[in-house]
Amino acid sequence: MRTTPRRRAAATATTLGLAPLVIGGGAAPAQAAIGDCPQGYFCAWANDDGTGPMFKTRTSAATLGTWDNKIRTRMNRTGSYACFFGRPNYTEGYSWDSPAQVYATSGGSTEISSIKLVPTLRECEGKAYPYWKTAVSPKAAGFGDMTGDGRADLVAREKATGKLWLYPGTSTRILGARKLVGAGGWNSMDHFLGVGDTTGDGRPDLQAADNGALYQYQGLAGGGLREVDDGNYSWWALEGAGTF
C-alpha cells in the first residue's frame, strides 16, 4: 500500500508521542462564559449558568433566528436599555434590562423573539418625544402699560404739590409729555404698589396705603385712575416688585 504524506505525518507524530493533527476538519463552536461578554454588547446564553454558545449584539434585532425563544441568561453591557418582546419586530409586550449591567440575569420567560436597544425606557414602546405642544405665553404680570399702546409707562407723585403724573412710554425710548392723573393729596400716601391688573379689565391698577387704610385705584382707558375701594382695611405697609 502506498504511504501518502498525510499518513507519514500522522505516523511520525504517533512515534514522537504527539496527538495527530486533523487537517481540514470542522472546528467546534466556541464556548463562552459570562465574563467573555464584550463591553458595549448585549450577550445571551441558552442555559441558566451562562456557559456554552453565546449570542451577542450591539444593535437592535427585529428577529433572533435560531435564538428565538431560547434566551435564558442575559448580560447587558451596552449603554442602552435592552427591551425584550415576545414576537418579532418588537411586538407583543415587553420587559427590559437596565444599561451597563454588572451581573448577569438568568431565569424567567424564554419568550424573547426580538430585542430593541434604546437610550430611554419610554422608547421601548414609543418615540423619545411623542409630540410637541406649543402655546402663546401669557402676558407678564406687572404695572406697566397704562395708556394701552403696548409700551411701559411711568407713574410718579410730586412731593411738593401732591399731584400724580403719568409719563407715557414712546417708541424712541424717551418718556413722553407727562399727563396729570391725580390732582392732589397723593403725597399723604405712605406706600404705593402696582402689581398689574387686579380688577380683571385688562388694564393695570394701583394700590396705595394711607395710615393703615388700603385704597384701590382702577386703571382707565388713556391712563387715568378711579378709586374703587375706600380703604376700610388695616394695611400698614405694602411690599412688592411694584412698590414706590
Side-chain angles (χ1 to χ4, degrees):
M1 180 179 66
R2 181 181 177 184
T3 302
T4 65
R6 180 177 295 184
R7 289 181 177 176
R8 287 198 297 270
T12 303
T14 302
T15 303
L16 297 176
L18 303 175
L21 175 64
V22 179
I23 301 175
Q31 305 297 299
I34 291 175
D36 295 326
C37 181
Q39 181 69 35
Y41 279 81
F42 171 83
C43 304
W45 294 262
N47 53 39
D48 291 332
D49 57 8
T51 60
M54 179 176 68
F55 167 86
K56 67 177 182 179
T57 182
R58 59 191 312 173
T59 60
S60 298
T63 58
L64 298 181
T66 59
W67 284 88
D68 186 33
N69 292 331
K70 291 185 178 179
I71 292 176
R72 296 289 297 176
T73 301
R74 308 182 304 273
M75 181 72 167
N76 183 18
R77 301 197 68 194
T78 73
S80 304
Y81 285 89
C83 315
F84 312 116
F85 297 83
R87 291 290 182 269
N89 300 311
Y90 320 120
T91 57
E92 194 173 302
Y94 71 92
S95 58
W96 72 88
D97 282 345
S98 298
Q101 286 185 320
V102 178
Y103 302 103
T105 301
S106 62
S109 174
T110 60
E111 294 184 3
I112 298 176
S113 296
S114 53
I115 300 171
K116 184 189 290 187
L117 301 178
V118 292
T120 61
L121 187 57
R122 62 178 173 269
E123 291 176 78
C124 283
E125 59 179 348
K127 298 179 180 179
Y129 300 97
Y131 62 90
W132 292 98
K133 183 177 181 180
T134 61
V136 177
S137 298
K139 184 178 180 181
F143 186 83
D145 179 20
M146 293 190 64
T147 59
D149 62 358
R151 302 184 180 94
D153 306 314
L154 176 67
V155 174
R157 60 178 170 171
E158 190 173 9
K159 184 177 181 180
T161 63
K163 295 179 179 180
L164 191 68
W165 297 94
L166 168 67
Y167 295 83
T170 68
S171 60
T172 62
R173 301 185 181 180
I174 299 175
L175 294 174
R178 69 181 184 176
K179 175 183 177 181
L180 185 66
V181 292
W186 292 88
N187 53 355
S188 67
M189 298 293 184
D190 300 319
H191 302 279
F192 289 91
L193 179 65
V195 294
D197 177 22
T198 57
T199 58
D201 61 358
R203 301 186 182 94
D205 306 310
L206 181 66
Q207 294 76 37
D210 180 19
N211 197 29
L214 181 67
Y215 296 86
Q216 168 91 333
Y217 296 88
Q218 182 181 18
L220 304 175
L225 292 168
R226 178 173 67 91
E227 184 178 326
V228 294
D229 200 317
D230 60 6
N232 295 324
Y233 302 93
S234 295
W235 293 78
W236 295 95
L238 294 176
E239 297 292 340
T243 303
F244 61 98

